[in-house]
């Protein structure tokens, strides 16, 4: 990979200059000489030299990779021009997954309460988690995707109670999770809600005993239909009731109590409770004490999160798994008392949870360090994301003002179909294409933005074939596929006939693997999403290039040798866009 080879060469040269630093190489601006460059302004204070002098000295010390034609000092930058033949050969190389690395990465995402249908706020969680799992797998990691089912929580208990209390019978006309969700909303709008608490508590205790699992599973199966429609993948389902039965909480507390930072105060507001002092691991806390078990004996959700994390990383055992019967995911396994024992022993975990859970996730990491595993604490990552608005509105499931994911998918398909019919009335499979465009619009809108920034999903913007959208990239892919479909067979390219247009397109193709690795390392799909937008823009610029009012880059009618080079680049462009979209969980239509 070009950028990383340059960064390594710069790192070695800087060490000779007395600085053990790694600088980031980026594409050089179009109005500057060279293809890549590195800024050196930040080194001026350290080396007590002007940036231009540093660039000159660095050039003299660099052992340039063989694919670099020239290093060019430009102001406070050192730029690099690649050899055109090497550049084109690299661009024409087929992109393949990275070699496998040791160490399991466990990603937990979705984990929706099994009490009602998925709403638009869940979209971002699913899109981020699923895309990151795909990216990490391509980057060579062994990935396991987990979906946590809170079947002993209050939300599930309230839905099951409401279904019984109101005597509701499903008629099969709507998805079962929507039917159950209406019962949940009705309960929360019931003026008698407070007086119904004893009945809800009875259902809650029955859930904790694992007695109502099939009723919860009925809702879960309907939810899984939505997850499958979103093209999300899972390996494991872990049920809260199985965690309770396996006694993981008690085992985790026993581990924690061996630490001097976990104790029971004899006086004050925490008297009788089991608390954790997090101050050695989370500095600057106003109150460093966190309750794990209340004085009355009830465990907090902090303690439950910690116990589950301990199991994920192999500090606890006790869960068993068997195949999960369902029509959507053939290889899916579920926790079950009668299954086979399994513990992931992940070296890294990624918990995809919204930004409001940042504090509890910090406590999970602190607990890992507290029981003597700082290396596991280092490997526990919280992929925090901000909320999603729909057409500028905040969602609330409890108040019944949320819009379901199923509704969003259907509306997006309806609008996409209208666009496909308008742009290509002779399309051979309009419905299929519309479904692909709708899914691309939704999923791309959820991952294109840095996770910690709020999203306002708007149908018209997301479904546009122009701008920073999934359909824009899908259309670029379909355009490339159209050329290849007409090309037939072709022979060897003549690299010597390359023009600056081919060189520019080749440069854009070069950065795919860098984008995948950066997205994997930073644990955020938006890096890859932005790269695909940039690549699509480069392809559209190439396709539409004009000289003297005529097409500057015809592919099928180009002279022999140049035609083959252009077709080779178009093929790699099409494959790269398809591969990149696939890593974001988005289909790549061949015709739009």
């Amino acid at each position: 990979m070009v950028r990383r080879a340059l960064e390594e060469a710069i790192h070695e040269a800087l060490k000779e200059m007395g600085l053990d630093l790694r600088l980031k190489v980026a594409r050089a601006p179009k109005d500057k000489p060279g293809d890549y460059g590195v800024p050196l302004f930040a080194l001026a204070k350290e080396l007590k030299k002007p940036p231009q002098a540093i660039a000159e000295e660095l050039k003299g010390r660099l052992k340039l990779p063989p694919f670099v034609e020239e290093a060019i000092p430009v102001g406070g930058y050192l730029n690099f021009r690649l050899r055109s033949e090497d550049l084109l050969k690299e661009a024409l190389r087929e992109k393949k997954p990275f070699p496998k690395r040791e160490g399991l990465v466990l990603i937990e995402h979705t984990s929706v309460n099994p009490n009602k249908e998925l709403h638009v706020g869940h979209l971002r969680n699913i899109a981020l988690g699923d895309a990151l799992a795909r990216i990490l797998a391509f980057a060579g990691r062994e990935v396991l995707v987990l979906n946590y089912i809170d079947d002993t929580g209050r939300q599930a208990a309230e839905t099951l109670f409401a279904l019984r209390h109101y005597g509701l019978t499903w008629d099969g006309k709507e998805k079962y999770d929507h039917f159950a969700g209406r019962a949940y909303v009705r309960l929360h709008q019931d003026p008698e809600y407070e007086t119904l608490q004893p009945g809800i508590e009875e259902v809650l205790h029955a859930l904790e005993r694992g007695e109502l699992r099939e009723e919860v599973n009925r809702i879960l199966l309907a939810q899984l239909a939505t997850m499958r429609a979103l093209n999300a993948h899972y390996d494991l389902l872990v049920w809260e009731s199985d965690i309770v039965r396996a006694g993981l909480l008690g085992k985790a507390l026993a581990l924690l109590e061996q630490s001097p930072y976990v104790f029971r105060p004899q006086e004050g507001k925490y008297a009788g409770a089991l608390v954790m002092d997090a101050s050695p691991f989370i500095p600057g806390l106003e109150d460093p004490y966190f309750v794990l078990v209340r004085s009355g004996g009830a465990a907090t959700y902090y303690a439950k999160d910690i116990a589950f994390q301990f199991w994920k990383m192999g500090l606890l055992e006790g869960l068993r798994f068997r195949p999960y019967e369902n029509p959507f995911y053939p290889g899916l396994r579920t926790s079950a008392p009668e299954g086979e024992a399994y513990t992931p022993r992940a070296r890294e975990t990624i918990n995809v949870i919204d930004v409001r859970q940042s504090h509890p996730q910090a406590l999970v990491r602190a607990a890992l360090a507290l029981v003597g595993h700082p290396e596991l604490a280092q490997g526990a990552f919280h992929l925090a994301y901000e909320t999603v608005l729909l057409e500028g509105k905040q969602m609330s499931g409890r108040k019944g003002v949320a819009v379901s994911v199923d509704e969003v998918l259907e509306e997006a398909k309806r609008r996409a179909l209208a666009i496909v019919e308008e742009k290509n009335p002779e399309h051979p499979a309009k419905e299929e294409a519309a479904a692909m465009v709708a899914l691309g619009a939704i999923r791309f809108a959820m991952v294109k933005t840095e996770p910690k920034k709020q999203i306002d999903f708007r149908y018209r913007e997301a479904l546009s074939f122009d701008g920073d959208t999934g359909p824009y990239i899908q259309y670029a892919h379909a355009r490339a596929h159209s050329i290849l479909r007409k090309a037939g067979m072709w022979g060897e390219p003549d690299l010597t006939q390359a023009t600056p247009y081919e060189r520019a397109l080749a440069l854009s193709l070069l950065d795919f693997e860098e984008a995948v690795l950066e997205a994997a390392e930073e644990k955020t799909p938006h890096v890859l999403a932005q790269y695909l937008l940039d690549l699509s823009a480069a392809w559209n610029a190439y396709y539409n290039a004009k000289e003297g009012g005529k097409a500057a880059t015809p592919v099928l009618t180009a002279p022999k040798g140049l035609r083959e080079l252009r077709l080779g680049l178009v093929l790699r462009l099409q494959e790269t866009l398809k591969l990149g979209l696939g890593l974001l969980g988005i289909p790549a239509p061949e015709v739009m």
Side-chain angles (χ1 to χ4, degrees):
M1 289 175 292
V2 170
R3 274 199 288 155
R4 301 216 170 197
L6 285 170
E7 287 168 2
E8 187 56 37
I10 293 165
H11 177 228
E12 291 301 318
L14 285 175
K15 282 201 290 189
E16 290 182 17
M17 296 165 65
L19 289 177
D20 191 3
L21 288 176
R22 291 189 177 273
L23 301 180
K24 295 285 285 183
V25 168
R27 289 282 294 277
K30 290 182 180 179
D31 60 343
K32 301 293 181 185
D35 302 312
Y36 291 92
V38 59
L40 302 169
F41 301 96
L43 307 184
K45 185 177 180 182
E46 193 85 24
L47 293 174
K48 298 180 174 57
K49 294 178 183 177
Q52 180 66 22
I54 296 172
E56 295 286 354
E57 183 179 353
L58 187 59
K59 177 184 176 181
R61 292 180 181 273
L62 265 175
K63 295 180 180 65
L64 289 174
F67 56 77
V68 178
E69 184 173 88
E70 184 183 9
I72 313 161
V74 185
Y77 294 81
L78 185 60
N79 287 359
F80 305 92
R81 180 181 290 116
L82 308 187
R83 299 183 191 279
S84 291
E85 185 178 346
D86 290 329
L87 164 60
L88 292 165
K89 284 181 179 177
E90 179 66 10
L92 290 169
R93 178 177 59 82
E94 185 180 358
K95 309 295 189 295
K96 293 183 178 179
F98 289 83
K100 288 295 178 186
R101 293 168 49 191
E102 284 189 18
L104 175 67
V105 181
L106 189 152
I107 300 179
E108 181 192 338
H109 70 80
T110 307
S111 302
V112 176
N113 287 318
N115 71 313
K116 65 194 303 290
E117 72 279 8
L118 278 68
H119 64 69
V120 72
H122 299 127
L123 276 172
R124 196 172 195 183
N125 186 305
I126 295 170
L128 284 171
D130 187 66
L132 188 54
R134 294 165 186 264
I135 289 166
L136 285 167
F138 189 87
R141 305 307 305 272
E142 181 189 354
V143 178
L144 189 76
V145 180
L146 182 152
N147 190 347
Y148 179 85
I149 313 303
D150 186 5
D151 61 324
T152 67
R154 187 167 191 84
Q155 289 90 342
E158 289 185 336
T159 293
L160 297 188
F161 171 82
L163 290 170
R164 292 179 181 181
H165 179 69
Y166 300 119
L168 301 175
T169 303
W170 184 51
D171 60 10
K173 292 180 180 178
E174 63 180 331
K175 275 183 81 228
Y176 190 75
D177 51 346
H178 288 253
F179 165 72
R182 287 196 295 106
Y184 175 78
V185 172
R186 179 175 171 181
L187 178 67
H188 277 272
Q189 294 173 344
D190 194 323
E192 303 297 319
Y193 177 73
E194 292 303 325
T195 67
L196 300 174
Q197 296 310 303
I200 295 170
E201 289 293 326
E202 282 183 28
V203 175
L204 196 55
H205 294 317
L207 284 171
E208 289 169 353
R209 295 191 297 269
E211 295 173 2
L212 304 175
R213 184 142 169 169
E214 279 310 308
E215 292 186 40
V216 177
N217 190 56
R218 197 175 184 186
I219 300 171
L220 174 62
L221 282 168
Q223 292 179 331
L224 285 171
T226 303
M227 298 169 201
R228 189 70 192 87
L230 286 170
N231 197 26
H233 169 79
Y234 307 91
D235 299 303
L236 289 183
L237 300 179
V238 177
W239 295 66
E240 166 80 15
S241 56
D242 291 327
I243 291 175
V244 173
R245 275 195 290 266
L248 291 191
L249 178 59
K251 295 174 185 178
L253 292 174
L255 267 181
L256 288 163
E257 285 185 277
Q258 294 174 23
S259 166
Y261 296 103
V262 175
F263 52 91
R264 293 183 185 273
Q266 298 303 306
E267 54 186 30
K269 67 176 180 177
Y270 297 116
L274 184 68
V275 301
M276 178 172 78
D277 178 2
S279 57
F281 311 101
I282 310 176
L285 292 170
E286 188 174 325
D287 183 351
Y289 290 176
F290 294 91
V291 176
L292 299 174
V293 180
R294 297 185 179 91
S295 56
T300 63
Y301 70 92
Y302 294 138
K304 293 177 182 178
D305 285 351
I306 290 167
F308 192 37
Q309 185 72 23
F310 282 7
W311 173 80
K312 289 179 182 179
M313 304 193 93
L315 300 183
L316 299 177
E317 296 180 349
L319 288 181
R320 309 177 76 84
F321 291 83
R322 62 166 174 77
Y324 177 66
E325 293 180 17
N326 75 99
F328 312 111
Y329 297 101
L332 188 59
R333 291 185 297 153
T334 179
S335 63
E338 70 278 12
E340 295 181 4
Y342 173 69
T343 306
R345 305 187 192 285
R347 296 301 87 190
E348 292 181 52
T349 60
I350 300 169
N351 294 336
V352 186
I353 313 174
D354 75 51
V355 72
R356 292 169 293 185
Q357 295 298 313
S358 294
H359 194 60
Q361 288 296 301
L363 291 178
V364 166
R365 292 191 296 275
L368 287 164
L370 187 144
V371 296
H373 288 279
E375 79 287 357
L376 296 182
Q378 194 73 24
F381 183 79
H382 174 206
L383 177 50
Y385 61 91
E386 263 294 352
T387 53
V388 178
L389 306 179
L390 178 64
E391 302 286 355
K393 295 177 182 177
Q394 190 72 259
M395 301 293 106
S396 172
R398 187 167 291 175
K399 295 177 181 176
V401 295
V403 176
S404 74
V405 172
D406 297 311
E407 290 174 90
V408 173
L409 276 168
E410 283 306 312
E411 179 65 12
K413 283 180 196 173
R414 186 186 68 76
R415 295 184 184 220
L417 182 60
I419 295 169
V420 171
E421 287 177 333
E422 178 191 338
K423 287 183 174 288
N424 188 0
E426 304 303 316
H427 195 294
K430 294 187 184 75
E431 295 276 352
E432 184 182 347
M436 290 184 179
V437 170
L439 184 58
I442 292 167
R443 286 196 56 143
F444 194 82
M446 296 298 125
V447 300
K448 72 177 182 179
T449 305
E450 191 177 350
K452 289 188 179 179
K453 293 181 180 177
Q454 190 178 62
I455 289 175
D456 184 1
F457 180 82
R458 294 178 181 267
Y459 290 104
R460 185 174 178 180
E461 293 171 9
L463 286 162
S464 173
F465 280 40
D466 298 308
D468 56 344
T469 69
Y472 173 71
I473 300 168
Q474 289 175 313
Y475 189 65
H477 170 269
R479 174 176 273 175
H481 202 279
S482 174
I483 292 172
L484 295 169
R485 197 165 47 246
K486 299 169 186 173
M489 303 292 289
W490 68 86
E492 290 297 313
D494 182 0
L495 304 186
T496 64
Q497 292 191 51
T499 73
Y501 294 109
E502 284 73 58
R503 205 177 189 286
L505 185 58
L507 268 172
S508 295
L509 282 165
L510 234 56
D511 286 338
F512 171 74
E513 288 158 323
E514 300 282 359
V516 170
L517 280 187
E518 189 176 339
E521 289 163 0
E522 299 296 323
K523 298 180 179 63
T524 171
H526 85 276
V527 174
L528 177 59
Q530 185 57 55
Y531 167 76
L532 294 175
L533 288 171
D534 293 341
L535 181 60
S536 299
W539 163 232
N540 287 334
Y542 180 85
Y543 183 89
N544 294 312
K546 297 281 192 295
E547 283 185 0
K550 294 183 178 180
T553 55
V555 177
L556 299 175
T557 59
K560 185 175 175 56
L562 180 57
R563 179 181 187 270
E564 281 68 23
L565 172 58
R566 287 177 174 172
L567 280 168
L569 289 171
V570 173
L571 174 62
R572 289 295 171 249
L573 178 281
Q574 178 261 325
E575 290 176 342
T576 302
L577 288 177
K578 182 176 182 178
L579 181 54
L581 285 168
L583 293 182
L584 298 180
I586 295 172
E590 295 180 0
V591 182
M592 283 177 71

